[in-house]
Amino acid sequence: RRRTAGAPAVAAPGLHRRPGHGRAAVGLPAPPLSRHLVFTGAPGTGKTTVARLYGRILAELGVISTGQLVEVGRPDLVASVVGGTALKTAEKFEQALGGVLFIDEAYTLSANASGGPDFGREAIDTLVKLMEDHRDEIVVIVAGYTHEMRRFLATNPGLASRFSRTIEFADYSPADLVTIVEGQCRAHDYRLEYETRAALVTFFENMPRDDAFGNGRSARKVFEEMVGRQAYRLAEEPDITPVEMTRLLPSDLAPPAAAGVGAGVGASDVGRVDSLLAELRQMVGLADVKREVGNMVDLLASSRQRIEAGLPAPPLSRHLIFAGPPGTGKTTVARLYGSILAAMGVLQRGQVIEVGRADLVGEYIGHTAQRTKAAFDRARGGVLFIDEAYTLASASGSGPDFGREAIDTLVKLMEDHRDEVVVIAAGYEGEMETFLGANPGLSSRFSHRVRFADYSTDELVTIVSQHAAAAGYELSTATVAALRAHFAGVQRGSSFGNGRYARQVLDEAVTRHAKRMRRTESPTIQDLSLLLREDVAPVPAQAGAGE
């Protein structure tokens, strides 16, 4: 901290103070203060290290007793049997009492991938209660990607109030990564030549920042690979001096892997493409979507054939607008589209990075471009899926319009990396027109539009039937009729959730069925599996048509 000559030094608030020097020591009540934190950001940005230091600082201040760090993930908290999750979560919580419980990739607790009982949610509920019962004995830090952590906090009403502070860990810049390599060199008695350092900067600038990118871990891996290549290089030298054994040259740096391969360049797996297209065709409804995606695949395949025949390939934008209401499968189709492009050799990986306005728009000048580039880099070799993209074109206040800055940054990145990333912008059809009008370059880059329509009544019934079968439930003929009547009576407003609403109806039916079974003595397998007409909830009054 810089101060003028003669000015008294001022300690940072809270540091170097023992508990007896605070408000309580002078008879004032201590303000309510949540010490629990959310650490958001990509892997390898120092979250665990900072958590360990945070615990030691709080112990030194006397806020917690020991300050030890207990690091856990989903497997450490979630069991595979009813009741086991609460026991495992409580056990790890008790180990961390007096210190810090660090939950890495905490968002996985709210993701139920199996379709069965959601024991991850049980871990969250147990955690919330334990944090309340031992509020002065422990600090809990939950960590993970920014977008996923926002969803995690929304899974339980008590989470947001207990985690009132979020610290974002930005990706390391190329210069930061070079500094990390230099630190490894000093620790192991190596040194970088001037030319090697310049080559490293270029290397890290071109490194794909997708899901495999590990920030500091990637920098340490690059150092280890350079040391290995240097050893192979020196093995062929007859006389090696100690100085030569410490020097790392540009030739010790491996060529970077490409992030994307461009249309018609990578190997194509025809069988995999056909399998993915069949999976798309099996989705409920979405006739227009299936046709548009099929047309895109045909155009890309034709472009590849022309290149192989020595003919020029027609200009073809692979970026898409997904326009339609929520819950109509846009994210699912985006994942299939990414996998199809990877199978065709158009993209290297085909991973989907899902973001919203909060993931792209910063809080001050320059922050938005940094956030947008970080998200774009994570998607290199795959798909960047921007949900509710139209919110970028709507100013949220009277200050600077950072949403427009995100759009301008995005347009430039799409041009600079046109063969590396496919961008899908999704949202309501009317609002997406506003988005496309926010920058003159958007319309030309998003030349293909895929329209997602509301599901029909029969399609919603089919969705419920499929999810019920996956969870081990059966529907009687009367139940199917009750579902059809329910969906026919629901008002289809702009916020209607379509497939999400269908899953909510099923969840409610399963809950009503469970209440029925609790009052049934010795239920049979048939009783436990069959959903009846009375398990289907009536149409809510506020959602009913004509009410």
Side-chain angles (χ1 to χ4, degrees):
R1 173 172 298 201
R2 182 177 297 175
R3 59 189 177 96
T4 57
V10 179
L15 294 181
H16 310 299
R17 296 183 182 178
R18 304 305 296 176
H21 296 157
R23 290 172 59 91
V26 295
L28 294 174
L33 181 64
S34 173
R35 298 163 295 178
H36 310 301
L37 298 174
V38 179
F39 283 2
T40 64
T45 47
K47 293 189 289 291
T48 307
T49 302
V50 173
R52 188 174 289 110
L53 286 170
Y54 183 59
R56 289 164 57 187
I57 290 171
L58 293 185
E60 181 66 22
L61 292 170
V63 176
I64 50 180
S65 57
T66 57
Q68 84 279 8
L69 181 80
V70 176
E71 184 177 357
V72 298
R74 180 184 169 98
D76 302 302
L77 304 178
V78 177
S80 57
V81 296
V82 176
T85 293
L87 293 175
K88 290 184 75 172
T89 302
E91 180 183 354
K92 289 298 181 182
F93 196 92
E94 289 174 5
Q95 290 179 17
L97 285 176
V100 176
L101 179 66
F102 182 82
I103 308 177
D104 199 16
E105 295 183 340
Y107 55 87
T108 59
L109 295 176
S110 59
N112 181 23
S114 65
D118 193 355
F119 295 133
R121 299 295 180 102
E122 182 184 350
I124 294 174
D125 297 340
T126 304
L127 185 66
V128 168
K129 184 178 186 304
L130 289 170
M131 289 170 68
E132 178 64 24
D133 295 343
H134 304 274
R135 65 170 69 92
D136 296 326
E137 303 174 60
I138 195 171
V139 168
V140 179
I141 298 177
V142 291
Y145 288 112
T146 303
H147 188 77
E148 286 82 351
M149 289 305 295
R150 193 173 296 112
R151 290 181 174 176
F152 166 74
L153 292 176
T155 58
N156 184 294
L159 282 177
S161 61
R162 285 165 177 79
F163 293 99
S164 57
R165 287 177 172 82
T166 298
I167 299 176
E168 183 174 355
F169 287 68
D171 282 327
Y172 286 119
S173 68
D176 294 333
L177 295 171
V178 172
T179 300
I180 293 173
V181 173
E182 289 177 327
Q184 293 288 304
C185 288
R186 287 191 297 271
H188 298 89
D189 202 13
Y190 287 89
R191 64 187 180 90
L192 298 176
E193 296 298 307
Y194 176 81
E195 296 82 1
T196 312
R197 193 183 189 285
L200 265 176
V201 172
T202 302
F203 181 90
F204 286 127
E205 286 176 344
N206 295 326
M207 175 176 280
R209 300 207 172 198
D210 52 21
D211 285 344
F213 177 66
N215 282 285
R217 298 171 198 165
S218 294
R220 290 189 290 272
K221 181 181 178 183
V222 167
F223 168 74
E224 293 167 359
E225 291 175 348
M226 291 179 71
V227 169
R229 292 171 71 89
Q230 185 226 41
Y232 281 115
R233 174 171 58 81
L234 294 180
E236 300 176 359
E237 300 292 334
D239 300 313
I240 307 172
T241 66
V243 172
E244 289 175 323
M245 295 179 67
T246 64
R247 296 170 62 203
L248 294 176
L249 304 180
S251 59
D252 298 327
L253 191 61
V261 294
V265 179
S268 178
D269 185 343
V270 177
R272 174 68 174 157
V273 172
D274 290 341
S275 174
L276 290 166
L277 286 174
E279 187 175 343
L280 175 64
R281 287 191 291 269
Q282 289 169 4
M283 291 183 67
V284 177
L286 306 178
D288 292 342
V289 174
K290 296 169 184 177
R291 182 178 63 255
E292 288 294 333
V293 173
N295 290 342
M296 281 297 299
V297 171
D298 292 340
L299 287 170
L300 289 167
S302 174
S303 178
R304 182 188 188 94
Q305 292 171 338
R306 289 178 61 87
I307 291 173
E308 291 174 347
L311 297 172
L316 180 62
S317 172
R318 296 161 291 168
H319 310 300
L320 299 175
I321 292 289
F322 280 6
T328 46
K330 292 190 287 292
T331 307
T332 302
V333 173
R335 294 194 183 104
L336 281 171
Y337 185 59
S339 298
I340 289 170
L341 295 186
M344 296 181 70
V346 175
L347 291 174
Q348 188 182 57
R349 297 172 183 84
Q351 82 282 3
V352 174
I353 303 300
E354 184 179 352
V355 298
R357 178 186 169 97
D359 303 295
L360 304 179
V361 176
E363 302 167 358
Y364 51 83
I365 295 175
H367 192 205
T368 293
Q370 175 187 329
R371 273 190 169 184
T372 303
K373 186 177 186 304
F376 195 92
D377 284 339
R378 283 179 59 205
R380 286 170 66 177
V383 175
L384 179 66
F385 182 84
I386 308 175
D387 199 15
E388 296 183 340
Y390 55 87
T391 59
L392 296 175
S394 57
S396 57
S398 59
D401 189 357
F402 294 135
R404 298 298 180 104
E405 182 185 350
I407 292 175
D408 297 342
T409 304
L410 185 67
V411 168
K412 185 178 187 305
L413 290 169
M414 290 169 69
E415 178 63 27
D416 294 344
H417 305 278
R418 64 171 67 94
D419 291 331
E420 299 178 45
V421 175
V422 167
V423 179
I424 297 177
Y428 292 107
E429 185 160 359
E431 284 83 346
M432 290 307 290
E433 292 294 338
T434 304
F435 168 73
L436 291 175
N439 184 293
L442 283 176
S443 293
S444 61
R445 286 166 177 79
F446 291 101
S447 56
H448 292 271
R449 182 172 309 197
V450 181
R451 289 178 171 82
F452 287 69
D454 282 318
Y455 287 118
S456 69
T457 295
D458 286 340
E459 288 168 349
L460 290 171
V461 172
T462 301
I463 291 172
V464 171
S465 300
Q466 290 180 348
H467 284 282
Y473 290 94
E474 299 175 6
L475 307 179
S476 69
T477 303
T479 309
V480 172
L483 284 170
R484 185 172 286 108
H486 179 104
F487 291 127
V490 172
Q491 188 176 13
R492 304 294 185 92
S494 60
S495 61
F496 180 66
N498 283 284
R500 296 174 198 165
Y501 182 75
R503 290 189 289 273
Q504 290 171 6
V505 169
L506 175 61
D507 290 342
E508 175 65 18
V510 169
T511 301
R512 292 163 69 95
H513 170 270
K515 289 180 179 179
R516 235 181 356 97
M517 290 300 100
R518 187 167 55 86
R519 298 190 297 267
T520 304
E521 292 187 11
S522 304
T524 65
I525 294 295
Q526 180 74 0
D527 292 332
L528 293 169
S529 302
L530 188 62
L531 297 177
L532 302 180
R533 173 192 289 272
E534 56 262 37
D535 296 327
V536 179
V539 177
Q542 65 270 23
E547 297 183 7

